[in-house]
Amino acid sequence: MKKILLLSIILLCFFQKHSFSQLNKIDSLLTLLKTDNLDTIKVQHLYNLSDESETVGNYEDGVIYGNKAIELADQIIKNSSKNDRIQKVAQKYKAKSYLNIGIIYKDQSDYTQALNNFLSSLKIMQDISDKKGIAYSLNNIASIYKYIGDIPTALKNYFASLKLLEELKDNRGVAASYDNIGVIYWNQSNYTEALKNHSAALKIREKIGDKKGVAASLTNIGNVYGEIGNYSTAQKNFFASLKLYEEIGDRYTSSNPYQNIGIMYGKENKFDEALKYMLISLKIREEFQDQAGISNSCNNIGFIYFKQKKFKEAEAFENRAKEVANKIGRKLYLENAYFFLTKIDSAKGDYKGAFENHKLYILYHDSLDNEETRKKTIQSQMNYEFGKKEAIANAEHKKELENQEAIAEEKSHKQKIVIVSVVIGLLFVLVFAGFVFRTLRITSKQKNIIELQKHIVEEHQKEIIDSITYAKRLQQAILPSDNEIYKYLPDSFILYKPKDIVAGDFYWMHISPNEDVVFIAAADSTGHGVPGAMVSVVCSNALNRAVNEFNLIDTGKILDKTRELVLETFAKSGEAIKDGMDISLLAINKTKNELQWSGANNSLWYIQNNELKEIKPDKQSIGQTENPEPFRTNTIEFKSGTQFYLFTDGYADQFGGSKGKKFKYKQLQEILIATSCLSLPDQKVSLLNSLNSWKGNLEQVDDITLIGIRI
């Protein structure tokens, strides 16, 4: 976590094209857009407006101007079908506009939209055979894979871009590619390869006299040395970089080495020196209205003040970082701001504030870190776009193999003639040898059969596990999302630990149409694993029908209808199925300050004034029951700060401890009372630690669900 935060704080894009005159450039371009009549000129102005808007952080206008450029380019292409030169100009600016829109979405962490635009740009660049454009598109596609953590694919695209740029002898582009590859290796903690690539970039830039590029490479090299703890060498490179920026008069970009020098001093606990350089960096970024840079600087300055225990100053800078990041939609900087605000509030003893900021930190962390789904989405899009090219390559490869097979077959035919002649001469010897080795061949054959059977079993096992894993994704779809739970129950936790890949336990949530009543339940379906998961889907669907289709709001009647629907579903099989579920169902009416609760075999616990109280359930399940009775509806008037707990039997039934006995409900109650003064997330941590300590090396015996809510 620490390294990720350092990376997010230190890394800034060294190739942004900021200058104080860019707002004037936008005004000039708007004037030219009105006065110029030729569409081929207007499309260039629209692209430049999109580019300049992105540079100053005005992302909304950047997308608008980019889309207008694409629309105008399409009109030009349609109306000039016989003029190849005009067509190519329009296509080029259409591709560049897609590329710029993609960069805007990438800056806002919307990687799916970014990739869509980069792929559109790549396709057009390929159609018009613009190798330089192809290289830049591949470079940006690689950056998306870097952000989602698919490093092999990121490097594959970076190297493809590098190869094209080397063919074009585009030394500036080659150097930039080496630096990009170096940053990848740096993120992977492969510092040897990182230095190798950054040094290669530095050598090229020194050779072509690119002082600004040299400064950027020196900064990157400094970052690597800083990460491995060689602060003196890191500072040497940062100061050399700063000197070059000042020589060429690039005041804006000099903010980067100022920032990094401050960070190195911070790592050495030289806080006064750190603040000195960080405040200079912030001042420069304010001069140039670099909103992203301002947010980043405030994050770093706030952290230094935190280290000095100057919490008031730290909080002021982190709040500013948060406000600016929120304004420009930078989720990464918001995540950092909320992380440090949580630490500041905790250090001040403001645990409520720490909890609120921690929830927001988790929200943005999860938003940025939910890589598995995004990775698969992006990879499927990549496969779709490159599918045709891959199909052609595969067809050519297949044809080549067929030709090779034909040649091999002809050669084999000639060899067979020779072999037959030799075989006839050696037949007598072979018969004798065959008799000797017959037993060995039988043994070998049996071994092969066993190996084949083993392979078949392993394949079947893999297919079964893959199917169950997919079933897990389907089952998770019936569970309410964390965002939905925290939206309506912000002070809560869900402790959910299936025994197997899929579970019989599930939790359920429903919000009334006018959002005044929140229903939440912890349910335990018959069994666990695949059978339990199938029952859980039936039961969850019955709960949804009870409230959505039959519009029930009374908890007892909801359980009555749910039981009726579950039995009706199982009756369709024509067999006597006794499966069902136990459930604890709570309805919270915040308008009336009133709760309703009903339970099937599972109790409700709640804590008021450090005293745990229990409401007993009806001793009947949702399913086939002898002498069924209507479920009772219990009404509770609650006080602010009351904590409610809904649970299944998995936690209490877990075997463990020194004697391998059950945990039991009494011990669980004692933990809840002892930790009731803690925040709900801390209670969850305490419950997990207690469970793991009790269980030790023993197997988990059942699915576990425990929900805590503070009203």
Side-chain angles (χ1 to χ4, degrees), residues 315-332:
E315 187 172 25
F317 276 98
E318 293 302 339
N319 277 324
R320 187 182 178 196
K322 175 186 70 177
E323 290 165 6
V324 175
N326 190 53
K327 179 181 175 183
I328 62 175
R330 282 291 181 99
K331 294 181 181 179
L332 185 62

Side-chain angles (χ1 to χ4, degrees), residues 76-78 80-81 83-91:
I76 295 170
I77 293 165
K78 182 179 179 181
S80 59
S81 57
N83 191 320
D84 291 341
R85 187 185 66 80
I86 292 177
Q87 286 251 326
K88 191 166 185 177
V89 169
Q91 290 275 31

